[in-house]
Amino acid sequence: MPELVLEANGRTWTLDPSRSYSLGRDPQGDIVFDDARVSWRHATISWSGRSWVLQDHGSTNGTFVRGQRIHETEIGPGAAVHLGNASDGPLLSLSGTAASDVQPQPRQQPYAAQSANPSWAQQTPHQAPQQTPQQAPHQAPHQASSQAAPSGWPQPQPRQQPQPQPHSHPYSHQPPQKIPQQQGPGADGGVGAGAPPVYGDRSPTTFHQFTIGRIMRIGRALENDLVVSDLQVSRNHAEFHSMPDGRMEIRDLGSHNGTYVNGQPIPKGGSTLLGPSDIVGVGHSTFRIVGDRLEEFVDTGEVSFSARHLTVTVDGGKQILKDVSFGVPEKSLIAVIGPSGSGKSTLLKALTGYRPANQGDVLYDNRNLYKQFAELRQRIGLVPQDDILHKELTVKKALKYAAKLRFPADTTSEEREHRIDEVLRELKLDIHREKKVTALSGGQRKRVSVALELLTKPSLIFLDEPTSGLDPGMDRDVMQLLRGLADDGRTVLVVTHSVAELALCDKLLVMAPGGAVAYFGPPEEALNFFGYDTWADVFSAFENYRDYDWAGRWKGSQHYQMYAADIDAVAPQSVQMPPMQGMKPPKPQRWTGQFGTLVRRYVSVIASDKGFLALTVILPLVLGSVSLLIDFGDNLLPKPIDPRTRLPEPNSTATTVLLILAVGACFAGAANSVRELIKERVIYERERATGLSRSAYLMSKVVVLGVITILQGLMVGLIGFASRGLPKEGLVLGNATLAELCLPIMGLGFTSMMFGLIISALVKTSEKTMPLLVMFAIVQVVFTGCLFPLHGTLGVNELSYLMPSRWAVAAAGATLDFNKVNPPVKPGDTTDPLWNHAVSTWGLNMIALIAIGVVCGFLVSRFLRRHEPEVMRK
């Protein structure tokens, strides 16, 4: 048996043919790699009886031999294997005796080079040029800048430049790097003929050869010609067609997350011809046709990111963000600090596309985020200040529902579980997987929020105040977590008020009052740049000298020339969204799939909230029982005719009981829903940006809350009416008079629940819901028609038509013949036509009641639209 020696991580193994060797990040494996691009169980090497075989186990970022991604191949001495990336992934070098030299022969390479001169297939992709660390100056330009200080500003003494100290956290810290001039595509994200590769100055991850007339299918399933191990990709995603005339066509195969050309989605199941400069996006992979071959660029997370001349103007022409430019290299951690009113939140919305800047560009590896948001949104993670979790669920269950919503519908439960387990282990949350989110500490909850975003393997992660409300120890833990995420191959930007752990960051962006940049560069040089000993002094200077030109001071400094001048030199451009031709970005799942997942999640949340469950049962019992105090057992039939007035005597019991039951149904229905949207607003905003259907989300609320509210209405009606004397026959249901009377109460509860959703969609805080709930219930009492006659009262009667209680009481009143139960008090007064004892009247009242609920649903949908990323609304 031939000897095979493997070298990796500075260690050497002599492989035993009698066993197999596992490669991956799993500490229990045989050969362990501490690299985020390597999967947990990445690949194995074993002796097949004839040769040594390397087998990839569906790794996320792939296994590469001679620049080609393989799934199973024979290997031998002299071979070189890269894990996770064809150019700079962890390297395995194989050696042995000359007698045992076995040349690698790929077993499954459907598109190996078949041309007469396949030299390109034999070349390893070039290494991307390494960025040269820029040594930070030891002297800040305080002397020059301080001369421009306003009159009377106390001149601070220059600080002694501190020497860089080794970091006391377990993650390695890269030295500050100056950002080179970005080369490649223009600000619109397009790539012209002869342009550099898609990702800045990177070489393609791998190549694939075309032959005329052939079809290359792309997907997650192993039977595809080009297998993309990415859960954002459907099992059979798209096809490249080589046309007889030499042109290329891309066809979408009904993919869930869509196929994109130059950042714009092509119709699901549609196709489009490709030009020499067109870029095709599938999941985290991007493809470009060069001659007779297909170049693939896999986004492994190591991306550059830059903002250029971002300016945000609000109504009235006031600028709340002024000409903000900065750029960061890959695998960086950037902190954004500044006093209140400095535009930090506005900057975060502009950088993520939630609220695009009025002027300027945000470039994701030289691709315009605003113009290609539909594709790039899947590669961006955002952790808001509030937790994007349902706190009633366990950690595992919360991540499970998030994975079902974000991954394609053809993703198996095993694939989702595997990805969830990977993220939990990476963030050291696996021991908390069965705990409820409410039982976790503040820092642990923030880790779960980060875990939720890491499910889709974003390359960019933005965090808004992740350490807010945490003690110093948890503050440090969260920042160390972010440092680790950056070191593992992601770009992380965090907006924070905490300055205790800024030394963990690669770059620091300081915002001045008014939304301008006051400093951008290494954090260890920032205080020296401002000339103060503490950040408290810097923030006090911001407050005391709000009119001072902090941006001018920054742009006139040496630090600006070192860290921002090349980015700032690009001329600003106005943001003009390209026409979408009526197409919306595809959603990860069909409407029915999202709706089913949302309903199950909402039911799980409600079932986990014991207090809410108890209230849903107790509330209708109490409200229904209150009506029993009104002449218990008395009937609701018309009284005998008064011989003096020749009219039936009013039955005050009937009107009072119906008033109490109507008010109870209104209050219970609205109370069920009045907080449901506001408490999930942050969750909805984030999920909507990742492809959640607005109508599926709303319908899940309507269905679940509707069922609860209808059952409550049934309980209220049964308790209130069952003990009373009722007409023997109703108008619609015959002798089922009790059921006929309960239907309007149930419908009133449902429509009131829809009114509650309107309130919940409009308010900004949960505290404002209770006053509006009380106001709604009181208004419904007035317009029931039980307190005073509405018919014949000009203006008031017409206004009552907008109130659900008016129609519900009228429907019950038609069954009870309220024109006789509660006849006009004054002679000559006319009866209320909505109380006529007729089937048509009862039907009209119920249709009007339901129509109000439908209108409310439409309004809620429109109000929810205000909480979506602005770039999506456009």
Side-chain angles (χ1 to χ4, degrees):
M1 295 181 183
E3 180 186 54
L4 188 66
V5 178
L6 185 150
E7 296 182 12
N9 294 335
R11 297 182 57 189
T12 302
W13 291 264
T14 300
L15 303 189
D16 181 0
S18 65
R19 53 162 298 192
S20 62
Y21 293 83
S22 62
L23 289 69
R25 294 201 335 268
D26 186 358
Q28 305 301 319
D30 298 302
I31 304 173
V32 182
F33 296 88
D34 186 15
D35 192 300
R37 295 170 293 181
V38 178
S39 296
W40 192 255
R41 295 178 178 87
H42 195 101
T44 57
I45 298 178
S46 60
W47 172 254
S48 66
R50 185 179 64 89
S51 61
W52 289 97
V53 176
L54 172 66
Q55 183 179 11
D56 184 280
H57 289 293
S59 63
T60 301
N61 296 316
T63 305
F64 301 89
V65 176
R66 293 183 177 176
Q68 297 184 20
R69 185 166 184 166
I70 61 93
H71 301 286
E72 185 174 337
T73 185
E74 296 178 356
I75 57 174
V81 179
H82 284 278
L83 304 182
N85 187 282
S87 58
D88 60 354
L91 175 64
L92 286 74
S93 299
L94 304 175
S95 60
T97 61
S100 62
D101 192 7
V102 181
Q103 292 299 322
Q105 296 296 330
R107 291 187 177 183
Q108 298 180 6
Q109 289 296 331
Y111 281 89
Q114 300 177 8
S115 60
N117 183 23
S119 60
W120 61 268
Q122 306 299 323
Q123 297 175 358
T124 302
H126 295 292
Q127 295 281 348
Q130 299 295 320
Q131 294 169 330
T132 303
Q134 175 67 40
Q135 298 297 327
H138 291 284
Q139 183 177 0
H142 166 73
Q143 288 83 355
S145 59
S146 61
Q147 296 177 0
S151 177
W153 186 11
Q155 300 297 318
Q157 296 299 318
R159 297 174 65 250
Q160 179 68 30
Q161 175 66 32
Q163 296 299 320
Q165 297 296 326
H167 293 281
S168 58
H169 56 87
Y171 304 105
S172 62
H173 184 66
Q174 301 297 327
Q177 296 177 333
K178 183 179 179 182
I179 309 305
Q181 176 75 24
Q182 297 274 5
Q183 300 293 333
D188 61 353
V191 179
V198 179
Y199 293 108
D201 53 7
R202 291 183 179 86
S203 296
T205 306
T206 187
F207 305 94
H208 308 278
Q209 191 72 15
F210 275 126
T211 56
I212 296 178
R214 294 198 64 179
I215 298 174
M216 179 183 290
R217 175 172 291 185
I218 304 173
R220 205 173 71 249
L222 294 179
E223 62 266 18
N224 288 284
D225 303 304
L226 203 165
V227 179
V228 180
S229 300
D230 181 357
L231 291 183
Q232 296 291 319
V233 177
S234 299
R235 296 186 61 82
N236 297 293
H237 196 102
E239 289 178 342
F240 282 102
H241 286 246
S242 178
M243 312 298 287
D245 59 1
R247 293 187 297 173
M248 295 299 302
E249 180 185 59
I250 181 69
R251 294 182 184 176
D252 183 84
L253 300 178
S255 63
H256 297 278
N257 279 322
T259 304
Y260 299 83
V261 176
N262 299 326
Q264 303 303 316
I266 64 175
K268 183 171 287 191
S271 62
T272 184
L273 290 173
L274 299 176
S277 61
D278 289 335
I279 303 298
V280 177
V282 174
H284 284 77
S285 297
T286 307
F287 302 90
R288 185 178 64 173
I289 298 170
V290 179
D292 60 347
R293 69 186 186 188
L294 183 70
E295 296 182 346
E296 179 182 4
F297 301 82
V298 179
D299 186 347
T300 58
E302 299 179 356
V303 299
S304 62
F305 182 75
S306 62
R308 298 181 176 179
H309 302 281
L310 298 183
T311 299
V312 174
T313 305
V314 295
D315 296 338
K318 180 181 178 182
Q319 290 185 345
I320 57 177
L321 204 66
K322 298 179 181 179
D323 197 25
V324 175
S325 297
F326 65 94
V328 294
E330 59 191 37
K331 299 201 303 185
S332 295
L333 174 60
I334 306 95
V336 180
I337 65 172
S340 299
S342 59
K344 298 188 300 297
S345 297
T346 303
L347 175 62
L348 188 64
K349 292 179 180 179
L351 294 176
T352 56
Y354 272 59
R355 199 288 187 197
N358 301 97
Q359 192 177 33
D361 303 297
V362 176
L363 300 185
Y364 175 102
D365 242 13
N366 287 330
R367 302 180 66 187
N368 191 299
L369 175 64
Y370 296 157
K371 296 183 179 181
Q372 303 187 25
F373 183 79
E375 177 187 353
L376 297 179
R377 65 179 182 175
Q378 301 292 347
R379 308 186 193 184
I380 296 176
L382 173 62
V383 181
Q385 183 173 351
D386 297 324
D387 294 326
I388 49 177
L389 304 160
H390 289 90
K391 299 180 181 179
E392 299 83 3
L393 300 178
T394 62
V395 172
K396 183 70 175 290
K397 189 171 288 188
L399 294 180
K400 182 187 75 172
Y401 285 119
K404 292 192 72 172
L405 287 173
R406 298 192 182 193
F407 290 145
D410 61 6
T411 307
T412 64
S413 58
E414 290 78 12
E415 288 175 314
R416 292 193 297 268
E417 291 281 340
H418 179 69
R419 180 57 190 154
I420 291 172
D421 291 340
E422 276 189 337
V423 171
L424 290 176
R425 283 193 295 266
E426 181 180 358
L427 298 183
K428 298 179 177 58
L429 288 169
D430 45 338
I431 61 174
H432 303 295
R433 67 176 64 210
E434 299 303 330
K435 292 182 181 179
K436 285 190 176 182
V437 176
T438 52
L440 302 177
S441 66
Q444 291 168 345
R445 284 201 302 272
K446 194 59 63 177
R447 282 177 178 264
V448 177
S449 294
V450 174
L452 190 149
E453 291 300 310
L454 291 183
L455 288 174
T456 54
K457 298 186 177 181
S459 303
L460 281 175
I461 302 178
F462 296 89
L463 300 99
D464 187 10
E465 299 286 355
T467 61
S468 177
L470 302 183
D471 61 50
M474 290 184 179
D475 182 352
R476 180 181 58 192
D477 291 342
V478 170
M479 292 300 293
Q480 287 181 348
L481 166 68
L482 303 184
R483 177 71 260 169
L485 293 178
D487 292 337
D488 286 343
R490 305 173 182 93
T491 300
V492 183
L493 186 144
V494 53
V495 174
T496 180
H497 277 114
S498 175
V499 297
E501 304 296 333
L502 295 180
L504 298 178
C505 303
D506 296 297
K507 292 290 189 297
L508 175 64
L509 177 68
V510 182
M511 300 294 292
V517 176
Y519 173 83
F520 177 73
E524 61 268 19
E525 301 175 24
L527 284 177
N528 200 34
F529 170 81
F530 288 107
Y532 287 101
D533 292 320
T534 66
W535 283 108
D537 295 331
V538 175
F539 278 45
S540 295
F542 283 150
E543 180 64 27
N544 295 333
Y545 303 98
R546 299 186 69 89
D547 295 332
Y548 178 65
D549 186 10
W550 295 100
R553 180 176 185 267
W554 155 243
K555 290 185 177 181
S557 68
Q558 183 180 354
H559 282 71
Y560 171 80
Q561 298 298 326
M562 295 176 58
Y563 301 114
D566 48 0
I567 294 292
D568 211 23
V570 181
Q573 298 183 12
S574 297
V575 177
Q576 295 181 352
M577 299 302 296
M580 297 292 289
Q581 302 176 349
M583 290 185 301
K584 294 182 179 180
K587 296 177 173 57
Q589 298 182 21
R590 294 185 179 91
W591 189 94
T592 52
Q594 288 195 1
F595 172 73
T597 301
L598 290 167
V599 167
R600 289 192 295 272
R601 183 178 71 177
Y602 195 27
V603 170
S604 298
V605 170
I606 292 177
S608 302
D609 191 346
K610 307 302 182 184
F612 181 81
L613 286 176
L615 187 61
T616 58
V617 176
I618 294 174
L619 186 61
L621 290 176
V622 172
L623 295 174
S625 300
V626 169
S627 68
L628 299 179
L629 302 178
I630 309 300
D631 296 330
F632 179 74
D634 199 0
N635 64 59
L636 305 181
L637 302 173
K639 295 287 186 179
I641 296 178
D642 188 344
R644 293 173 299 175
T645 62
R646 298 180 181 244
L647 294 173
E649 295 181 6
N651 186 345
S652 60
T653 299
T655 55
T656 305
V657 168
L658 198 54
L659 173 65
I660 292 176
L661 296 182
V663 173
C666 284
F667 187 83
N672 286 339
S673 61
V674 75
R675 290 190 176 183
E676 291 307 296
L677 297 182
I678 181 63
K679 75 179 184 181
E680 291 186 1
R681 181 161 298 171
V682 177
I683 299 175
Y684 171 75
E685 289 177 351
R686 182 65 195 123
E687 291 182 342
R688 179 65 176 143
T690 61
L692 179 70
S693 167
R694 184 197 318 142
S695 58
Y697 176 78
L698 177 57
M699 285 305 299
S700 70
K701 298 294 184 185
V702 171
V703 169
V704 176
L705 292 175
V707 170
I708 293 174
T709 303
I710 288 174
L711 292 177
Q712 287 179 327
L714 179 62
M715 293 175 61
V716 170
L718 290 176
I719 295 172
F721 291 125
S723 62
R724 309 284 180 178
L726 303 175
K728 293 183 179 180
E729 289 194 7
L731 290 171
V732 180
L733 301 181
N735 57 3
T737 308
L738 178 59
E740 186 175 313
L741 287 172
C742 288
L743 284 177
I745 301 301
M746 296 159 64
L748 177 58
F750 179 84
T751 306
S752 298
M753 181 270 295
M754 298 301 294
F755 263 99
L757 289 178
I758 289 181
I759 295 173
S760 191
L762 283 175
V763 297
K764 294 184 178 180
T765 61
S766 297
E767 290 75 14
K768 295 180 180 180
T769 58
M770 291 311 296
L772 293 175
L773 172 63
V774 173
M775 183 180 69
F776 170 76
I778 292 176
V779 170
Q780 298 310 305
V781 171
V782 175
F783 288 99
T784 56
C786 296
L787 296 180
F788 60 90
L790 295 173
H791 177 66
T793 307
L794 186 63
V796 176
N797 187 45
E798 288 73 19
L799 182 61
S800 70
Y801 293 157
L802 301 176
M803 307 300 168
S805 62
R806 170 70 158 127
W807 300 101
V809 170
T815 299
L816 295 173
D817 196 1
F818 248 35
N819 280 326
K820 293 182 180 180
V821 171
N822 189 30
V825 177
K826 300 177 181 179
D829 287 351
T830 58
T831 58
D832 193 333
L834 297 182
W835 289 359
N836 288 341
H837 190 62
V839 174
S840 59
T841 304
W842 188 90
L844 173 65
N845 292 330
M846 292 300 296
I847 291 174
L849 182 62
I850 296 173
I852 292 176
V854 173
V855 172
C856 288
F858 174 77
L859 293 176
V860 174
S861 178
R862 300 303 297 175
F863 294 148
L864 279 176
R865 189 171 178 270
R866 303 184 311 164
H867 306 298
E868 299 171 4
E870 187 173 327
V871 69
M872 291 182 67
R873 282 180 268 161
K874 291 185 177 181

